[in-house]
Amino acid sequence: LKVREMCQEQSIIFKINTVVCSLNWEEDMTEFIRSLNPKRWKCFQVLILEQENAGGEDELRDARSLTVSREQFNSFVRRHRESDHI
């Protein structure tokens, strides 16, 4: 909430990006997002990128356990569809 307040004090447009993954796809963020009242809320499905987060030998990250199906991602989006921000 502090960042939201700081943006408001400085007349900065406040937007939120959320990466939907295996850890949060079942969450209901409706009230939290509503309380922050962002100008826009974008939701992205976690992606595996070769040479970045695919868990290869020379990669720093392995995000394979964080992936969600298209159905799971769509479930998250539907759950939050009533939000004016998404």
Side-chain angles (χ1 to χ4, degrees):
L1 291 174
K2 185 162 180 70
V3 172
R4 170 67 172 122
E5 292 169 4
M6 291 169 56
C7 288
Q8 191 169 14
E9 290 169 4
Q10 300 298 318
S11 298
I12 296 171
I13 296 172
F14 183 70
K15 301 175 186 178
I16 298 174
N17 291 338
T18 299
V19 176
V20 180
C21 67
S22 62
L23 302 175
N24 66 3
W25 75 273
E26 295 179 288
E27 296 291 327
D28 185 348
M29 299 177 157
T30 304
E31 290 305 316
F32 178 67
I33 296 298
R34 192 171 287 146
S35 72
L36 292 175
N37 194 29
K39 176 73 173 174
R40 181 176 299 131
W41 179 29
K42 291 183 181 180
C43 297
F44 303 94
Q45 183 175 356
V46 68
L47 296 176
I48 299 299
L49 303 172
E50 294 299 324
Q51 300 180 348
E52 180 68 31
N53 64 356
E57 189 173 307
D58 295 330
E59 296 176 15
L60 296 174
R61 296 169 200 85
D62 185 352
R64 292 176 294 180
S65 66
L66 300 174
T67 60
V68 293
S69 68
R70 176 54 91 183
E71 183 177 305
Q72 290 168 320
F73 176 74
N74 288 341
S75 171
F76 181 92
V77 172
R78 279 192 305 273
R79 188 175 313 112
H80 298 92
R81 186 160 286 155
E82 292 181 19
S83 171
D84 296 332
H85 306 98
I86 198 166

